[in-house]
Coordinates of all heavy atoms in Angstrom, one line a residue:
V92 N -8.1 -27.4 -29.2 CA -7.3 -26.5 -28.2 C -8.1 -26.5 -26.9 O -7.5 -26.6 -25.8 CB -7.1 -25.1 -28.8 CG1 -6.4 -24.2 -27.8 CG2 -6.3 -25.2 -30.1
V93 N -9.4 -26.3 -27.0 CA -10.2 -26.3 -25.7 C -10.0 -27.7 -25.0 O -9.8 -27.7 -23.8 CB -11.7 -26.1 -26.1 CG1 -12.5 -26.2 -24.8 CG2 -11.9 -24.7 -26.7
D94 N -10.1 -28.8 -25.8 CA -9.9 -30.1 -25.1 C -8.5 -30.2 -24.5 O -8.4 -30.8 -23.4 CB -10.1 -31.2 -26.2 CG -11.5 -31.3 -26.7 OD1 -12.4 -30.8 -26.0 OD2 -11.7 -31.9 -27.7
R95 N -7.5 -29.7 -25.1 CA -6.1 -29.8 -24.6 C -6.0 -29.0 -23.3 O -5.4 -29.5 -22.3 CB -5.1 -29.2 -25.6 CG -3.7 -29.3 -25.1 CD -2.7 -29.2 -26.3 NE -2.7 -28.0 -27.0 CZ -3.0 -27.8 -28.3 NH1 -3.4 -28.9 -29.0 NH2 -3.0 -26.6 -28.9
V96 N -6.6 -27.9 -23.2 CA -6.6 -27.1 -22.0 C -7.4 -27.8 -20.9 O -7.0 -27.9 -19.7 CB -7.1 -25.7 -22.2 CG1 -7.3 -24.9 -20.9 CG2 -6.2 -24.9 -23.2
E97 N -8.6 -28.2 -21.2 CA -9.5 -28.9 -20.3 C -8.9 -30.1 -19.7 O -9.0 -30.4 -18.5 CB -10.8 -29.2 -20.9 CG -11.7 -28.0 -21.4 CD -12.6 -27.5 -20.3 OE1 -12.4 -28.0 -19.1 OE2 -13.5 -26.7 -20.6
E98 N -8.2 -30.9 -20.5 CA -7.7 -32.2 -20.1 C -6.3 -32.1 -19.4 O -6.0 -33.0 -18.5 CB -7.5 -33.1 -21.3 CG -8.9 -33.5 -21.9 CD -8.7 -34.2 -23.3 OE1 -7.6 -34.5 -23.7 OE2 -9.7 -34.4 -24.0
N99 N -5.5 -31.1 -19.7 CA -4.1 -31.1 -19.2 C -3.8 -30.1 -18.2 O -2.8 -30.2 -17.4 CB -3.2 -31.0 -20.4 CG -3.2 -32.1 -21.4 OD1 -3.5 -33.2 -21.0 ND2 -3.1 -31.8 -22.7
Y100 N -4.6 -29.0 -18.1 CA -4.2 -27.9 -17.2 C -4.7 -28.2 -15.8 O -5.7 -28.9 -15.6 CB -4.9 -26.6 -17.7 CG -4.1 -25.9 -18.8 CD1 -3.5 -26.6 -19.9 CD2 -3.9 -24.5 -18.7 CE1 -2.9 -25.9 -20.9 CE2 -3.2 -23.8 -19.7 CZ -2.7 -24.6 -20.8 OH -2.0 -23.9 -21.8
L101 N -3.9 -27.7 -14.8 CA -4.3 -27.8 -13.4 C -5.7 -27.2 -13.2 O -5.9 -26.0 -13.5 CB -3.3 -27.1 -12.5 CG -3.5 -27.1 -11.0 CD1 -3.3 -28.5 -10.5 CD2 -2.6 -26.1 -10.3
N102 N -6.6 -28.0 -12.7 CA -8.0 -27.6 -12.6 C -8.1 -26.3 -11.7 O -8.9 -25.4 -12.0 CB -8.8 -28.7 -12.0 CG -10.3 -28.3 -12.0 OD1 -10.9 -28.1 -13.0 ND2 -10.9 -28.3 -10.8
E103 N -7.4 -26.3 -10.6 CA -7.5 -25.2 -9.7 C -7.2 -23.8 -10.3 O -7.9 -22.8 -10.0 CB -6.6 -25.4 -8.4 CG -7.2 -26.4 -7.5 CD -7.0 -27.8 -7.9 OE1 -6.3 -28.1 -9.0 OE2 -7.5 -28.7 -7.3
I104 N -6.2 -23.7 -11.2 CA -5.9 -22.5 -11.8 C -6.9 -22.2 -13.0 O -7.3 -21.1 -13.3 CB -4.4 -22.3 -12.3 CG1 -4.2 -20.9 -12.7 CG2 -4.1 -23.3 -13.4 CD1 -2.7 -20.6 -13.0
L105 N -7.3 -23.3 -13.7 CA -8.3 -23.1 -14.7 C -9.6 -22.6 -14.2 O -10.3 -21.8 -14.9 CB -8.5 -24.4 -15.5 CG -9.3 -24.4 -16.8 CD1 -8.7 -23.4 -17.8 CD2 -9.3 -25.8 -17.4
E106 N -10.0 -22.9 -13.0 CA -11.2 -22.4 -12.4 C -11.2 -20.9 -12.2 O -12.2 -20.3 -12.2 CB -11.5 -23.1 -11.1 CG -11.9 -24.6 -11.2 CD -13.3 -24.7 -11.9 OE1 -14.2 -23.9 -11.6 OE2 -13.4 -25.6 -12.8
T107 N -10.0 -20.4 -12.0 CA -9.9 -18.9 -11.8 C -10.0 -18.2 -13.2 O -10.1 -16.9 -13.2 CB -8.5 -18.5 -11.2 OG1 -7.5 -18.7 -12.2 CG2 -8.2 -19.3 -10.0
A108 N -10.1 -18.9 -14.3 CA -10.2 -18.3 -15.6 C -11.5 -18.6 -16.3 O -11.7 -18.3 -17.5 CB -9.0 -18.7 -16.5
R109 N -12.4 -19.3 -15.6 CA -13.7 -19.7 -16.1 C -14.8 -18.6 -15.7 O -14.7 -18.0 -14.7 CB -14.1 -21.0 -15.6 CG -13.3 -22.2 -16.1 CD -14.0 -23.5 -15.6 NE -13.3 -24.7 -15.8 CZ -13.3 -25.4 -16.9 NH1 -14.0 -25.0 -17.9 NH2 -12.6 -26.5 -17.0
H110 N -15.8 -18.6 -16.6 CA -17.0 -17.8 -16.2 C -17.7 -18.6 -15.1 O -18.0 -19.8 -15.3 CB -17.9 -17.6 -17.4 CG -19.0 -16.6 -17.1 ND1 -20.0 -16.8 -16.2 CD2 -19.2 -15.4 -17.7 CE1 -20.8 -15.7 -16.2 NE2 -20.4 -14.9 -17.1
P111 N -17.9 -18.1 -13.9 CA -18.4 -18.9 -12.8 C -19.8 -19.4 -13.0 O -20.3 -20.4 -12.4 CB -18.4 -17.9 -11.6 CG -18.3 -16.6 -12.2 CD -17.6 -16.7 -13.5
E112 N -20.6 -18.8 -14.0 CA -22.0 -19.3 -14.2 C -22.0 -20.3 -15.4 O -22.8 -21.2 -15.4 CB -22.9 -18.1 -14.5 CG -23.0 -17.2 -13.3 CD -23.7 -15.8 -13.6 OE1 -24.2 -15.7 -14.7 OE2 -23.7 -15.0 -12.7
T113 N -21.2 -20.0 -16.5 CA -21.3 -20.9 -17.7 C -20.2 -21.9 -17.7 O -20.4 -22.9 -18.4 CB -21.2 -20.0 -18.9 OG1 -19.9 -19.5 -19.0 CG2 -22.2 -18.9 -18.9
G114 N -19.1 -21.7 -17.0 CA -18.0 -22.7 -17.0 C -17.1 -22.5 -18.3 O -16.1 -23.2 -18.4
D115 N -17.5 -21.5 -19.1 CA -16.6 -21.3 -20.3 C -15.3 -20.7 -19.9 O -15.2 -19.9 -18.9 CB -17.3 -20.3 -21.3 CG -18.5 -21.0 -22.0 OD1 -18.6 -22.2 -21.9 OD2 -19.3 -20.3 -22.7
I116 N -14.3 -21.0 -20.7 CA -12.9 -20.5 -20.4 C -12.8 -19.1 -21.0 O -13.0 -18.8 -22.2 CB -11.9 -21.4 -21.0 CG1 -12.0 -22.8 -20.4 CG2 -10.5 -20.8 -20.8 CD1 -11.1 -23.8 -21.2
H117 N -12.4 -18.1 -20.2 CA -12.2 -16.7 -20.6 C -10.8 -16.3 -20.4 O -10.5 -15.1 -20.8 CB -13.1 -15.8 -19.8 CG -14.6 -15.8 -20.4 ND1 -15.1 -14.7 -21.0 CD2 -15.5 -16.7 -20.4 CE1 -16.4 -15.0 -21.3 NE2 -16.6 -16.2 -21.0
G118 N -10.0 -17.1 -19.9 CA -8.5 -16.8 -19.7 C -7.7 -18.0 -19.8 O -8.2 -19.1 -19.4
L119 N -6.5 -17.9 -20.4 CA -5.6 -19.0 -20.5 C -4.6 -19.0 -19.5 O -3.8 -18.0 -19.4 CB -5.0 -19.0 -21.9 CG -4.0 -20.1 -22.2 CD1 -4.8 -21.4 -22.4 CD2 -3.2 -19.9 -23.4
P120 N -4.5 -19.9 -18.5 CA -3.5 -19.9 -17.5 C -2.1 -19.9 -18.1 O -1.8 -20.7 -19.0 CB -3.8 -21.2 -16.7 CG -5.2 -21.5 -16.9 CD -5.5 -21.0 -18.3
L121 N -1.3 -18.9 -17.7 CA 0.1 -18.8 -18.1 C 1.0 -19.6 -17.2 O 1.8 -20.4 -17.6 CB 0.5 -17.4 -18.2 CG 2.0 -17.1 -18.6 CD1 2.2 -17.6 -20.1 CD2 2.3 -15.6 -18.5

Side-chain angles (χ1 to χ4, degrees):
V92 177
V93 174
D94 290 344
R95 181 159 65 240
V96 172
E97 295 271 12
E98 293 170 7
N99 297 327
Y100 278 44
L101 179 70
N102 183 63
E103 284 75 10
I104 191 171
L105 190 55
E106 287 297 315
T107 71
R109 292 187 189 274
H110 193 295
E112 296 170 7
T113 67
D115 287 350
I116 299 169
H117 280 247
L119 182 72
L121 179 63

